[in-house]
Amino acid sequence: MRFEIEKCVIGAFASIALVAPASAIAAPAVATIPVELSVAGMFAQADWIVKLVIVGLAFASLVSWTIFIAKTMELRGATAKAREVHDSAIVLHSLDDANSVAALNGNALVKEASTELELSSDALNDGEGVKERIVSRFERYEAALARRLTRGVNILATIGATAPFVGLFGTVWGIMNSFIGIAEKQTTNLAVVAPGIAEALLATALGLVAAIPAVIMYNHFSRQISAHRALVSDTAAAILRLVSRDLSRGIAAGKFKAGKKD
């Protein structure tokens, strides 16, 4: 009796030893995911709609950085020049002195003031009217300057506002493909679900990569443009003071008559 029990126990252990290696070998094969989940692999295996979303977001990000570099260089040069003009204008005693200052030679604000004084040469006794017309010219110049400086910046706002939703569209499409794969293959195996989810996450990430820098750039340029416009306004006020001094001294008419003779 004892011999038969020992024989049964030994047989049971032997069968476990034979079955266990086979299970251990078969298990990794079931868990293997037959897709490459790198960024390049996810893009290559993505649906064509998701590919269009990814390419569009990458292009939008490239546009944002191109505008950032170009607009930074433009504003840096314009602000440096405007600062030089402002510093030169605030120390002058008369508008006529601007002709001898290199930084003010050919300046648009000086030209606007000089043009209006020339056109109003027969009405210089109405000082308030002359200054009002010069202020109107300055306002139009500043408005045109603002339109020029903000060119391209609004594109950053558009990218920042729409890129997350474009990425969300790619996300929804990728998840929808995952559910379609589950329905077709009648399984929730990770190998079936993972590709669609990976596409969705990639589209979401690229949407944020395109949107976040665009919003930061837009806010940065908005502050820089506002500061530049304030500097130009200060320069315009300084030139208007020069005109007011000339009108009070009664030398504005004689100066521009002399200018006509030249």
Side-chain angles (χ1 to χ4, degrees):
M1 184 69 176
R2 182 179 178 183
F3 176 75
E4 290 179 357
I5 293 174
E6 290 178 353
K7 185 177 180 180
C8 291
V9 171
I10 293 171
F13 276 111
S15 60
I16 292 173
L18 291 173
V19 173
S23 301
I25 294 172
V30 175
T32 301
I33 301 175
V35 293
E36 183 185 354
L37 293 182
S38 65
V39 174
M42 285 187 287
F43 177 79
Q45 298 163 22
D47 186 81
W48 68 273
I49 295 287
V50 181
K51 284 183 179 178
L52 285 179
V53 170
I54 291 173
V55 171
L57 291 173
F59 179 74
S61 181
L62 179 63
V63 169
S64 297
W65 285 104
T66 302
I67 293 174
F68 175 76
I69 295 172
K71 191 60 65 174
T72 297
M73 295 175 63
E74 179 186 358
L75 283 174
R76 186 174 297 173
T79 301
K81 186 175 181 180
R83 174 64 63 185
E84 184 181 5
V85 170
H86 174 266
D87 293 343
S88 300
I90 59 176
V91 297
L92 297 179
H93 296 282
S94 171
L95 186 62
D96 192 37
D97 297 337
N99 296 325
S100 59
V101 179
L104 294 173
N105 190 15
N107 179 260
L109 292 173
V110 174
K111 284 183 176 180
E112 293 289 349
S114 301
T115 300
E116 185 54 44
L117 283 172
E118 244 185 296
L119 294 173
S120 303
S121 59
D122 57 344
L124 293 178
N125 57 331
D126 181 17
E128 291 301 321
V130 173
K131 288 187 286 185
E132 183 179 344
R133 289 189 290 273
I134 291 175
V135 169
S136 176
R137 284 179 173 269
F138 286 170
E139 289 175 350
R140 291 301 87 212
Y141 169 77
E142 291 176 22
L145 177 66
R147 287 193 297 271
R148 179 171 60 82
L149 291 177
T150 55
R151 192 179 303 150
V153 175
N154 291 332
I155 297 176
L156 296 175
T158 302
I159 293 174
T162 59
F165 296 101
V166 176
L168 180 61
F169 171 74
T171 301
V172 172
W173 195 269
I175 293 175
M176 183 180 67
N177 286 339
S178 296
F179 282 109
I180 291 173
I182 292 173
E184 288 178 349
K185 298 185 180 180
Q186 298 295 319
T187 179
T188 57
N189 191 302
L190 187 60
V192 176
V193 179
I197 294 177
E199 297 170 15
L201 295 177
L202 181 61
T204 303
L206 285 178
L208 296 177
V209 166
I212 294 174
V215 172
I216 294 173
M217 293 172 192
Y218 176 79
N219 292 333
H220 169 72
F221 286 134
S222 295
R223 291 191 298 269
Q224 293 292 316
I225 292 171
S226 296
H228 184 84
R229 291 188 64 183
L231 185 59
V232 173
S233 295
D234 291 343
T235 304
I239 294 175
L240 186 62
R241 287 195 297 270
L242 297 178
V243 174
S244 180
R245 290 187 195 124
D246 288 345
L247 291 172
S248 297
R249 293 166 183 157
I251 62 173
K255 175 182 66 178
F256 284 98
K257 287 178 181 177
K260 286 181 181 180
K261 291 177 183 178
D262 293 338

